[in-house]
Amino acid sequence: MTAPTATAPDRERPEGEDRARGSGAVVDPVDQDLLAGPPGATAALLRSLLAPLRARVAAAALLLLLQQAAVQAGPLLVAYAIDRAVPALRAGDSGPLVAVAAGYLLCSVAGGALQYGFIILSARVNQDVLLELRGRIFRHAQALSVDFHERYTSGRLISRSTTDVESLRELLGDGLQELVTVVLSFVSISLMLLWLDLGLGAVAVGSFVPLCLLIRSYQRRAGRVYAERSTAMAAVIVKFVETLNGIRPVRAFRREAANDADFAVLNARHERTNGDALLEMARYVVGSRLVANTAVAGIVLWGAYRVAEGTLALGVLAAAVLYLRRLYDPIDRLGMFLNSYQSAGASLEKIAGLLAQTPSVPEPAAPGELPPLASEHPGREVVFDAVSFGYRTGGEVLPRFDLVLPAGQTVAVVGSTGAGKSTLAKLLARFYDPSAGRVLLDGTDLRELAVPELRRGVVMVTQEAFLFSGTVAENIAIGRPSATREEIERAARAIGAHEFIAALPDGYDTDVRKRGGRISAGQRQLVAFARALLADPAVLILDEATSSLDVPGERAVQRAMATVLRGRTAVVIAHRLSTVEIADRVLVMEGGRIVEDGPPAELIAGTGRFAHLHRAWRDSLS
Ligand SMILES: Nc1ncnc2c1ncn2[C@@H]1O[C@H](COP(=O)(O)OP(=O)(O)OP(=O)(O)O)[C@@H](O)[C@H]1O
Ligand SMILES: [Mg+2]
């Protein structure tokens, strides 16, 4: 996550809702969007995954080649037995037959041993590839910017790293071996047949033409179906994850029946695409068998005539039929392989598209450094220099924004809902970059700051205080991982969180996930506050950070802040105007602009919007 107080801003925004509701004819804009990776991204991804394993891949290929040679020797030995060893036996010489039997046995044993080696080796390669791929997806997803995650739901990411990786596993597990085996046996058997008998060989090779046409048409049609199927599966997972993430509003608004209906639509779509895939597969299998059996029948018929004529040895015909069976047997499995090839291709393309996304808030190539802080001045100056900003999906939120916050100033930002206060905060924490203009920290553009420096410099605490799995102490220590238990406790005490933490069953060692229900929203905010205190940033942003606290709790935090914030630059966004009392300066925002700016006492005494707000607020208290 980004800031030590990492929260998921706008997590509750129903990103996928219109899509999920769009029953049936769903074109997934985000998925489509992401597929547009650079051309060749999929092949490049596969190459980069296999490159470090090149030696082992080559060794596995060699084992497979030798194994095929051992296996393909079988029918040749049978032909030899029929045409040479049997006549020799009749003549009283059992030597050739014994040699053939021994040779056959040797080939079987060698083939088995080689296959054993191949399976072990290729399984290792597969494991390494999948491990690396999952790791890459996770690292990359984490590195992508906030705006990406607002568009691409977590369900979709889960689907990338589960079903999509899984379909690649199927391909690498058996599919690739099948393909290599099939291609090898096609080549070696064709050559063998042509060598045994030119005419029979030509018939066998001729049958490849309709087979290849069949395979191509299958690939084209199935490719489309598999892409649809994997999108449909992702939609099912997205709906699942989204519903369970929002289980509380689902309950509160009795959305269960509507969700069930939506889910049924998505599920049915997945089932339909699955059915389409099976249908394509069935057509292919039936078609290929028809071609294969026709070819075998033709060869038996023609071969038998020639044996009767005396132009073909019986052993050669027997070997040819055995070879043909071996040739056509794997065709069904080739269908299955094409199956996994298609779905793995669709999956890999999606993964490659995801991995090709670049963060919209990139790390600087040559990061700048901030000047060292004077110890009596732990704050930094913040400047918004002609900043314009709009979210990807909407119009301009901040039209042209200029603001200077001197180091050490505590600024309260107030304004109506949707005025752009949180947007201002998120730009300062660099969750987004401005579309024009610059945000400067002590004169350095945020875009030029190394990420660790930025995270140390600017910390944001928001309303949705997020706790990670782990203990309370660990959650506070996210602010500064090197902190000792004493420092953690001191931060908690300063903020007034110590009492409730000490009262938990295991105190600071209470697991927040297991005890999630015991920690209230306000208590979570206190933990997030302690985390921010411990992080000790030069610029602290509080966006509705005390909104869940009761009045005494908020007072305690304010008292703590008065000492903690001394000398630091602080941006405090709050609807409750009590927070304003600790501010040196108040900004009133409307429609992305600052409409009032001044010391609180001065604004309250005036006749402007803040004076109005403040009066209304005071009246509401009495
Ligand atoms: N992630 C987002 N994607 C698209 N538009 C957004 C996003 N976040 C906010 N907006 C829009 O930007 C505008 C300003 O939102 P912002 O969250 O900055 O308001 P705010 O002043 O913090 O309001 P509040 O007091 O309700 O928190 C709003 O019109 C909002 O709809
Ligand atoms: Mg806000």
Side-chain angles (χ1 to χ4, degrees):
M1 301 298 287
T2 42
T5 43
T7 55
D10 307 325
R11 180 34 66 83
E12 71 279 15
R13 291 175 78 81
E15 304 109 311
E17 203 140 271
D18 38 6
R19 209 158 37 238
R21 218 193 305 290
S23 59
V26 188
V27 179
D28 189 334
V30 177
D31 252 23
Q32 300 284 333
D33 183 7
L34 285 179
L35 278 178
T42 311
L45 172 62
L46 207 54
R47 263 202 308 280
S48 78
L49 286 169
L50 288 174
L53 307 169
R54 211 175 291 139
R56 277 191 282 165
V57 171
L62 185 67
L63 287 181
L64 196 61
L65 207 68
L66 293 174
Q67 187 252 349
Q68 279 297 306
V71 171
Q72 299 304 5
L76 211 58
L77 290 170
V78 171
Y80 183 80
I82 294 175
D83 293 338
R84 303 275 169 82
V86 173
L89 195 62
R90 284 198 181 122
D93 178 12
S94 62
L97 191 63
V98 172
V100 165
Y104 203 93
L105 206 64
L106 194 70
C107 283
S108 311
V109 171
L114 288 164
Q115 186 158 26
Y116 180 83
F118 170 80
I119 290 174
I120 302 280
L121 198 58
S122 65
R124 295 230 176 97
V125 170
N126 297 347
Q127 289 311 313
D128 286 358
V129 166
L130 297 179
L131 194 77
E132 167 68 17
L133 191 61
R134 270 213 186 92
R136 274 198 211 178
I137 294 174
F138 183 77
R139 288 192 298 273
H140 195 77
Q142 203 174 219
L144 284 170
S145 314
V146 173
D147 75 324
F148 171 81
H149 291 283
E150 285 169 351
R151 291 175 295 130
Y152 203 78
T153 61
S154 50
R156 212 156 253 120
L157 282 171
I158 290 171
S159 149
R160 284 306 84 87
S161 63
T162 53
T163 36
D164 287 334
V165 171
E166 187 60 20
S167 73
L168 198 66
R169 193 190 65 74
E170 275 172 31
L171 171 74
L172 293 175
D174 300 321
L176 221 48
Q177 180 195 350
E178 284 301 339
L179 178 73
V180 175
T181 311
V182 168
V183 170
L184 275 182
S185 45
F186 264 53
V187 173
S188 61
I189 292 177
S190 307
L191 290 176
M192 197 73 90
L193 282 170
L194 288 168
W195 175 70
L196 279 174
D197 184 88
L198 214 57
L200 295 188
V203 174
V205 172
S207 71
F208 293 173
V209 174
L211 279 178
C212 285
L213 290 177
L214 206 66
I215 289 173
R216 264 198 57 188
S217 113
Y218 172 73
Q219 262 194 310
R220 214 174 304 127
R221 299 160 69 104
R224 207 172 41 239
V225 173
Y226 281 116
E228 274 170 27
R229 187 177 71 165
S230 111
T231 307
M233 189 65 229
V236 168
I237 296 178
V238 167
K239 182 71 192 169
F240 204 101
V241 170
E242 199 178 89
T243 305
L244 295 184
N245 270 349
I247 191 69
R248 287 183 189 86
V250 164
R251 280 281 144 70
F253 292 98
R254 304 265 170 274
R255 290 279 305 157
E256 291 93 336
N259 280 337
D260 283 349
D262 285 354
F263 193 73
V265 168
L266 294 173
N267 223 357
R269 177 165 72 118
H270 177 245
E271 199 191 340
R272 200 177 53 243
T273 53
N274 219 2
D276 290 349
L278 285 176
L279 202 68
E280 291 299 337
M281 172 82 178
R283 282 190 190 136
Y284 167 76
V285 167
V286 170
S288 66
R289 279 204 188 150
L290 202 67
V291 173
N293 289 332
T294 310
V296 171
I299 282 182
V300 168
L301 210 66
W302 186 40
Y305 267 112
R306 288 180 48 198
V307 170
E309 264 174 20
T311 54
L312 185 69
L314 181 60
V316 171
L317 178 60
V321 171
L322 282 177
Y323 272 128
L324 277 179
R325 288 241 52 95
R326 289 205 180 175
L327 186 61
Y328 294 130
D329 254 8
I331 284 183
D332 284 3
R333 284 181 293 144
L334 181 67
M336 242 176 308
F337 157 72
L338 284 177
N339 217 337
S340 49
Y341 175 80
Q342 296 288 356
S343 61
S347 292
L348 202 60
E349 202 176 341
K350 290 189 175 185
I351 293 174
L354 170 65
L355 293 179
Q357 296 296 306
T358 49
S360 58
V361 179
E363 287 200 35
E369 293 254 325
L370 287 172
L373 286 168
S375 56
E376 71 277 11
H377 241 307
R380 292 193 187 275
E381 182 201 50
V382 171
V383 175
F384 281 74
D385 175 22
V387 167
S388 308
F389 177 74
Y391 294 96
R392 244 173 177 282
T393 44
E396 286 231 304
V397 174
L398 302 181
R400 187 199 148 93
F401 199 85
D402 284 294
L403 179 65
V404 177
L405 306 179
Q409 196 172 59
T410 297
V411 185
V413 182
V414 300
S416 50
T417 290
K421 306 181 294 294
S422 298
T423 306
L424 174 79
K426 287 188 274 187
L427 284 171
L428 180 49
R430 204 179 173 222
F431 284 9
Y432 307 90
D433 279 335
S435 33
R438 302 178 301 166
V439 182
L440 306 169
L441 191 63
D442 265 358
T444 308
D445 193 325
L446 293 188
R447 279 176 287 219
E448 281 156 22
L449 272 184
V451 173
E453 180 108 72
L454 175 65
R455 295 301 165 223
R456 248 196 324 275
V458 183
V459 163
M460 173 149 117
V461 183
T462 67
Q463 195 167 16
E464 316 95 351
F466 187 83
L467 299 190
F468 298 93
S469 48
T471 65
V472 174
E474 283 164 357
N475 263 287
I476 296 175
I478 286 170
R480 179 148 46 92
S482 61
T484 62
R485 179 55 72 94
E486 284 66 45
E487 288 169 318
I488 292 173
E489 277 200 35
R490 205 177 315 134
R493 273 181 208 280
I495 220 73
H498 177 76
E499 285 66 33
F500 101 80
I501 297 172
L504 289 170
D506 298 321
Y508 282 83
D509 296 315
T510 306
D511 189 307
V512 295
R513 276 283 178 269
K514 289 200 194 113
R515 311 269 171 198
R518 287 177 193 238
I519 298 182
S520 74
Q523 289 168 339
R524 278 206 303 276
Q525 283 196 335
L526 289 177
V527 171
F529 247 110
R531 191 190 277 169
L533 271 195
L534 202 58
D536 190 27
V539 178
L540 184 64
I541 307 166
L542 308 176
D543 187 357
E544 298 288 336
T546 52
S547 61
S548 300
L549 298 181
D550 57 11
V551 173
E554 192 170 37
R555 288 278 153 180
V557 168
Q558 271 168 25
R559 267 196 307 279
M561 282 197 311
T563 45
V564 169
L565 294 181
R566 192 163 302 139
R568 275 171 230 286
T569 314
V571 177
V572 184
I573 301 172
H575 286 295
R576 283 199 220 162
L577 296 190
S578 55
T579 325
V580 170
E581 286 167 14
I582 58 161
D584 307 315
R585 175 179 175 193
V586 173
L587 298 175
V588 183
M589 274 185 85
E590 280 318 321
R593 284 170 214 280
I594 293 170
V595 293
E596 276 173 48
D597 180 357
E602 198 174 289
L603 292 187
I604 291 168
T607 55
R609 205 178 296 222
F610 185 69
H612 195 75
L613 274 175
H614 196 263
R615 252 196 311 282
W617 173 72
R618 230 184 13 226
D619 289 348
S620 74
L621 289 186
S622 53

